[in-house]
Amino acid sequence: MKTTPLLMLSALLCTLATCINVMPPADFDLEKMAGKWYLVGLATNAQWFVTNKETMKIGTTVLAPTPGGDLDVSYANLTPAGTCWRMTHLAKKTDTPGRFSFRSHTWNNENDMRVVDAVYDSYAIFHTIKTVGDVPEVMNKLYSRSQEVSADLQEKFVQFALDTGVLSENILMLPKSAECSA
């Protein structure tokens, strides 16, 4: 089948329509998100991911709610070279509990981040729409309180990623990794 600009635009609009409807649960509790999480699953059609997914491994994320309702997000990953890569964002609360926004100066993009599912002592699924200029990209993340996740949870994450327009080959359950030292 030949890809036409109209077909590509239709696919993009369908993806965006799906993304717009992804919202946090009504009973979202920011305080219960606090603490250390392992990034065990990642799903996005972004080119940087497609290029680098073979070298990606589990990393850690520490979530720290602020007194004002924002969320400090600190990432740490061990690189293939054995060094530690770190990044921190202050995700600002919105009018919707569980939905945050921030600008990444590292990647030069705007982020609309939503916690869409959480069992606070076990796992959380995040859905982020990253925008550079006028181009949106969907990124879904599966966090766990341990590096182990059940087959059922993996399946749930895969289905969510597919439902938000991510291609099946761009859904990755990350392999275990050593952690960065403090």
Side-chain angles (χ1 to χ4, degrees):
M1 179 169 89
K2 183 178 177 184
T3 304
T4 65
L6 182 57
L7 182 60
M8 291 184 335
L9 179 60
S10 296
L12 176 62
L13 290 175
C14 287
T15 299
L16 290 176
T18 300
C19 298
I20 290 168
N21 294 323
V22 176
M23 295 303 290
D27 61 349
F28 177 77
D29 187 334
L30 179 62
E31 294 302 316
K32 290 182 179 177
M33 292 301 303
K36 181 177 175 180
W37 294 87
Y38 292 92
L39 176 59
V40 296
L42 190 57
T44 179
N45 293 329
Q47 188 58 49
W48 65 264
F49 176 77
V50 172
T51 304
N52 296 297
K53 67 183 176 181
E54 297 301 320
T55 62
M56 298 180 81
K57 295 186 178 181
I58 288 177
T60 58
T61 300
V62 175
L63 301 177
T66 69
D70 297 331
L71 188 62
D72 277 317
V73 183
S74 298
Y75 306 96
N77 289 78
L78 204 55
T79 68
T83 60
C84 189
W85 178 83
R86 296 180 191 276
M87 182 172 59
T88 301
H89 292 112
L90 177 61
K92 306 294 275 177
K93 70 178 182 179
T94 67
D95 291 339
T96 304
R99 185 175 182 181
F100 303 88
S101 65
F102 64 92
R103 175 159 183 74
S104 172
H105 296 287
T106 303
W107 306 116
N108 194 31
N109 58 26
E110 300 296 330
N111 294 264
D112 179 349
M113 180 178 79
R114 305 145 191 224
V115 180
V116 296
D117 188 11
V119 174
Y120 301 103
D121 62 349
S122 180
Y123 75 91
I125 297 175
F126 282 49
H127 174 78
T128 303
I129 302 169
K130 298 174 168 284
T131 307
V132 178
D134 292 332
V135 181
E137 294 177 342
V138 169
M139 183 184 322
N140 298 308
K141 294 181 178 181
L142 173 59
Y143 288 104
S144 174
R145 293 290 188 177
S146 73
Q147 289 196 36
E148 303 284 335
V149 292
S150 70
D152 287 346
L153 183 54
Q154 290 180 38
E155 187 176 310
K156 181 177 189 170
F157 177 69
V158 167
Q159 188 58 57
F160 175 75
L162 292 170
D163 290 347
T164 57
V166 177
L167 301 173
S168 61
E169 62 267 24
N170 295 333
I171 303 169
L172 182 63
M173 298 311 298
L174 299 165
K176 290 182 183 179
S177 176
E179 293 182 40
C180 290
S181 58

Tab-separated table of all heavy atoms in Angstrom, residues 6 21 28 37 54 71 73 77 86 95 100-101 103 108 112 134 140-142 145 153 156-157 164 169 172 177 180:
chain	number	residue	atom	x	y	z
A	6	LEU	N	-2.160	12.245	3.185
A	6	LEU	CA	-3.460	12.181	3.848
A	6	LEU	C	-3.527	10.973	4.786
A	6	LEU	O	-4.015	11.081	5.904
A	6	LEU	CB	-4.581	12.111	2.805
A	6	LEU	CG	-6.008	12.092	3.370
A	6	LEU	CD1	-6.257	13.324	4.246
A	6	LEU	CD2	-7.022	12.026	2.246
A	21	ASN	N	-7.301	11.461	25.357
A	21	ASN	CA	-8.243	10.860	26.285
A	21	ASN	C	-7.588	10.088	27.427
A	21	ASN	O	-8.279	9.582	28.289
A	21	ASN	CB	-9.205	9.940	25.518
A	21	ASN	CG	-10.080	10.734	24.571
A	21	ASN	OD1	-10.493	11.835	24.903
A	21	ASN	ND2	-10.335	10.192	23.417
A	28	PHE	N	-6.251	9.558	42.332
A	28	PHE	CA	-4.794	9.695	42.347
A	28	PHE	C	-4.308	10.298	43.673
A	28	PHE	O	-4.883	11.259	44.178
A	28	PHE	CB	-4.331	10.589	41.192
A	28	PHE	CG	-2.848	10.827	41.195
A	28	PHE	CD1	-1.982	9.844	40.758
A	28	PHE	CD2	-2.327	12.022	41.668
A	28	PHE	CE1	-0.612	10.051	40.783
A	28	PHE	CE2	-0.953	12.245	41.693
A	28	PHE	CZ	-0.100	11.255	41.250
A	37	TRP	N	11.586	4.065	42.297
A	37	TRP	CA	10.922	3.225	41.314
A	37	TRP	C	11.968	2.729	40.313
A	37	TRP	O	12.956	3.420	40.048
A	37	TRP	CB	9.862	4.015	40.546
A	37	TRP	CG	8.708	4.464	41.361
A	37	TRP	CD1	8.624	5.619	42.097
A	37	TRP	CD2	7.468	3.797	41.542
A	37	TRP	NE1	7.398	5.695	42.713
A	37	TRP	CE2	6.670	4.590	42.392
A	37	TRP	CE3	6.944	2.599	41.063
A	37	TRP	CZ2	5.383	4.223	42.758
A	37	TRP	CZ3	5.663	2.236	41.426
A	37	TRP	CH2	4.893	3.046	42.269
A	54	GLU	N	18.402	-1.123	21.753
A	54	GLU	CA	19.207	-2.329	21.973
A	54	GLU	C	20.152	-2.198	23.162
A	54	GLU	O	20.544	-3.200	23.748
A	54	GLU	CB	19.998	-2.685	20.711
A	54	GLU	CG	19.128	-3.024	19.519
A	54	GLU	CD	18.186	-4.197	19.753
A	54	GLU	OE1	18.604	-5.190	20.385
A	54	GLU	OE2	17.019	-4.115	19.321
A	71	LEU	N	6.133	17.710	41.472
A	71	LEU	CA	6.803	16.428	41.599
A	71	LEU	C	8.239	16.537	41.098
A	71	LEU	O	8.459	16.824	39.919
A	71	LEU	CB	6.044	15.360	40.803
A	71	LEU	CG	6.472	13.915	40.954
A	71	LEU	CD1	6.290	13.442	42.403
A	71	LEU	CD2	5.669	13.023	40.013
A	73	VAL	N	11.382	14.762	39.856
A	73	VAL	CA	11.619	13.485	39.192
A	73	VAL	C	13.105	13.388	38.894
A	73	VAL	O	13.647	14.196	38.137
A	73	VAL	CB	10.807	13.390	37.878
A	73	VAL	CG1	10.984	12.036	37.227
A	73	VAL	CG2	9.335	13.699	38.111
A	77	ASN	N	20.624	6.174	35.263
A	77	ASN	CA	20.839	4.968	34.464
A	77	ASN	C	22.323	4.700	34.342
A	77	ASN	O	23.112	5.633	34.168
A	77	ASN	CB	20.281	5.136	33.047
A	77	ASN	CG	18.792	5.146	33.005
A	77	ASN	OD1	18.180	6.162	33.323
A	77	ASN	ND2	18.198	4.047	32.628
A	86	ARG	N	22.499	10.945	34.706
A	86	ARG	CA	21.447	11.444	35.592
A	86	ARG	C	20.723	12.623	34.938
A	86	ARG	O	21.323	13.387	34.192
A	86	ARG	CB	22.036	11.904	36.919
A	86	ARG	CG	22.676	10.787	37.700
A	86	ARG	CD	23.241	11.305	39.031
A	86	ARG	NE	24.065	10.341	39.686
A	86	ARG	CZ	23.617	9.361	40.472
A	86	ARG	NH1	22.340	9.232	40.694
A	86	ARG	NH2	24.456	8.514	41.025
A	95	ASP	N	-4.245	21.444	36.869
A	95	ASP	CA	-5.548	21.416	37.542
A	95	ASP	C	-6.073	19.994	37.724
A	95	ASP	O	-7.028	19.780	38.462
A	95	ASP	CB	-6.576	22.241	36.759
A	95	ASP	CG	-6.273	23.732	36.809
A	95	ASP	OD1	-5.554	24.161	37.735
A	95	ASP	OD2	-6.752	24.457	35.921
A	100	PHE	N	0.981	16.403	35.076
A	100	PHE	CA	2.056	17.371	35.314
A	100	PHE	C	2.599	17.868	33.983
A	100	PHE	O	2.438	17.216	32.954
A	100	PHE	CB	3.194	16.706	36.103
A	100	PHE	CG	2.747	16.119	37.406
A	100	PHE	CD1	2.265	14.827	37.480
A	100	PHE	CD2	2.799	16.875	38.566
A	100	PHE	CE1	1.831	14.284	38.685
A	100	PHE	CE2	2.371	16.348	39.776
A	100	PHE	CZ	1.883	15.048	39.833
A	101	SER	N	3.274	19.003	34.030
A	101	SER	CA	3.938	19.510	32.828
A	101	SER	C	5.335	19.999	33.206
A	101	SER	O	5.572	20.447	34.329
A	101	SER	CB	3.123	20.637	32.188
A	101	SER	OG	3.070	21.751	33.055
A	103	ARG	N	9.300	21.365	31.128
A	103	ARG	CA	10.152	21.572	29.953
A	103	ARG	C	11.468	20.870	30.211
A	103	ARG	O	12.093	21.084	31.242
A	103	ARG	CB	10.388	23.048	29.699
A	103	ARG	CG	11.367	23.288	28.561
A	103	ARG	CD	11.240	24.663	27.959
A	103	ARG	NE	12.127	24.831	26.838
A	103	ARG	CZ	11.967	24.291	25.630
A	103	ARG	NH1	10.925	23.541	25.390
A	103	ARG	NH2	12.828	24.499	24.661
A	108	ASN	N	15.116	19.658	24.949
A	108	ASN	CA	14.458	20.777	24.281
A	108	ASN	C	13.024	20.430	23.868
A	108	ASN	O	12.640	20.598	22.717
A	108	ASN	CB	15.283	21.255	23.077
A	108	ASN	CG	14.804	22.597	22.577
A	108	ASN	OD1	14.324	23.419	23.347
A	108	ASN	ND2	14.914	22.815	21.276
A	112	ASP	N	3.854	16.761	28.702
A	112	ASP	CA	2.568	16.629	29.371
A	112	ASP	C	2.556	15.199	29.916
A	112	ASP	O	2.353	14.236	29.169
A	112	ASP	CB	1.446	16.853	28.360
A	112	ASP	CG	0.058	16.701	28.958
A	112	ASP	OD1	-0.082	16.224	30.102
A	112	ASP	OD2	-0.905	17.043	28.248
A	134	ASP	N	5.979	21.667	16.793
A	134	ASP	CA	4.592	21.223	16.674
A	134	ASP	C	4.479	19.704	16.570
A	134	ASP	O	3.415	19.187	16.253
A	134	ASP	CB	3.947	21.859	15.426
A	134	ASP	CG	3.783	23.357	15.574
A	134	ASP	OD1	3.651	23.819	16.722
A	134	ASP	OD2	3.788	24.058	14.546
A	140	ASN	N	5.402	6.024	26.821
A	140	ASN	CA	4.784	5.335	27.940
A	140	ASN	C	5.874	4.667	28.754
A	140	ASN	O	6.812	4.097	28.190
A	140	ASN	CB	3.786	4.285	27.442
A	140	ASN	CG	2.659	4.905	26.676
A	140	ASN	OD1	2.019	5.835	27.148
A	140	ASN	ND2	2.402	4.412	25.482
A	141	LYS	N	5.740	4.733	30.081
A	141	LYS	CA	6.729	4.128	30.968
A	141	LYS	C	6.021	3.249	31.981
A	141	LYS	O	4.985	3.632	32.530
A	141	LYS	CB	7.525	5.200	31.717
A	141	LYS	CG	8.401	6.046	30.812
A	141	LYS	CD	9.165	7.071	31.625
A	141	LYS	CE	10.096	7.891	30.730
A	141	LYS	NZ	10.855	8.884	31.525
A	142	LEU	N	6.618	2.092	32.238
A	142	LEU	CA	6.144	1.201	33.287
A	142	LEU	C	7.175	1.224	34.405
A	142	LEU	O	8.343	0.885	34.191
A	142	LEU	CB	5.980	-0.230	32.763
A	142	LEU	CG	5.642	-1.302	33.808
A	142	LEU	CD1	4.337	-0.986	34.530
A	142	LEU	CD2	5.593	-2.679	33.147
A	145	ARG	N	8.242	-1.113	41.803
A	145	ARG	CA	9.013	-0.948	43.037
A	145	ARG	C	10.172	-1.952	43.094
A	145	ARG	O	11.027	-1.852	43.962
A	145	ARG	CB	8.120	-1.100	44.260
A	145	ARG	CG	7.086	0.010	44.410
A	145	ARG	CD	7.707	1.326	44.781
A	145	ARG	NE	6.653	2.310	45.092
A	145	ARG	CZ	6.908	3.524	45.505
A	145	ARG	NH1	8.137	3.957	45.665
A	145	ARG	NH2	5.915	4.357	45.756
A	153	LEU	N	1.276	-7.988	34.292
A	153	LEU	CA	1.552	-6.558	34.255
A	153	LEU	C	2.251	-6.175	32.954
A	153	LEU	O	1.938	-5.142	32.355
A	153	LEU	CB	2.383	-6.124	35.467
A	153	LEU	CG	2.675	-4.638	35.569
A	153	LEU	CD1	1.407	-3.793	35.516
A	153	LEU	CD2	3.461	-4.348	36.850
A	156	LYS	N	-0.402	-6.023	30.369
A	156	LYS	CA	-1.217	-4.813	30.555
A	156	LYS	C	-0.509	-3.589	29.964
A	156	LYS	O	-1.122	-2.771	29.274
A	156	LYS	CB	-1.481	-4.605	32.050
A	156	LYS	CG	-2.330	-3.404	32.370
A	156	LYS	CD	-2.586	-3.327	33.865
A	156	LYS	CE	-3.606	-2.269	34.180
A	156	LYS	NZ	-4.054	-2.312	35.569
A	157	PHE	N	0.806	-3.474	30.221
A	157	PHE	CA	1.582	-2.358	29.701
A	157	PHE	C	1.659	-2.407	28.169
A	157	PHE	O	1.482	-1.382	27.503
A	157	PHE	CB	2.985	-2.355	30.310
A	157	PHE	CG	3.870	-1.267	29.771
A	157	PHE	CD1	3.616	0.058	30.079
A	157	PHE	CD2	4.942	-1.566	28.949
A	157	PHE	CE1	4.420	1.081	29.577
A	157	PHE	CE2	5.762	-0.550	28.441
A	157	PHE	CZ	5.491	0.764	28.760
A	164	THR	N	-2.240	3.349	22.658
A	164	THR	CA	-1.862	4.759	22.509
A	164	THR	C	-1.024	4.991	21.245
A	164	THR	O	-0.397	6.034	21.108
A	164	THR	CB	-1.105	5.265	23.751
A	164	THR	OG1	0.048	4.465	23.983
A	164	THR	CG2	-2.018	5.274	24.970
A	169	GLU	N	6.880	-3.275	17.853
A	169	GLU	CA	8.344	-3.418	17.893
A	169	GLU	C	9.020	-2.316	18.712
A	169	GLU	O	10.220	-2.387	18.986
A	169	GLU	CB	8.940	-3.476	16.479
A	169	GLU	CG	8.719	-2.235	15.635
A	169	GLU	CD	7.465	-2.300	14.762
A	169	GLU	OE1	6.521	-3.044	15.066
A	169	GLU	OE2	7.451	-1.564	13.762
A	172	LEU	N	9.261	-2.111	24.832
A	172	LEU	CA	10.407	-2.845	25.365
A	172	LEU	C	10.287	-3.049	26.865
A	172	LEU	O	10.073	-2.093	27.617
A	172	LEU	CB	11.687	-2.045	25.054
A	172	LEU	CG	13.019	-2.630	25.475
A	172	LEU	CD1	13.301	-3.949	24.762
A	172	LEU	CD2	14.139	-1.632	25.168
A	177	SER	N	19.651	-4.406	35.328
A	177	SER	CA	20.931	-3.693	35.286
A	177	SER	C	21.362	-3.390	36.717
A	177	SER	O	20.527	-3.266	37.617
A	177	SER	CB	20.770	-2.381	34.522
A	177	SER	OG	21.956	-1.636	34.540
A	180	CYS	N	23.142	2.773	39.564
A	180	CYS	CA	24.144	3.806	39.765
A	180	CYS	C	24.392	3.936	41.270
A	180	CYS	O	23.460	3.812	42.075
A	180	CYS	CB	23.652	5.156	39.244
A	180	CYS	SG	23.534	5.232	37.442
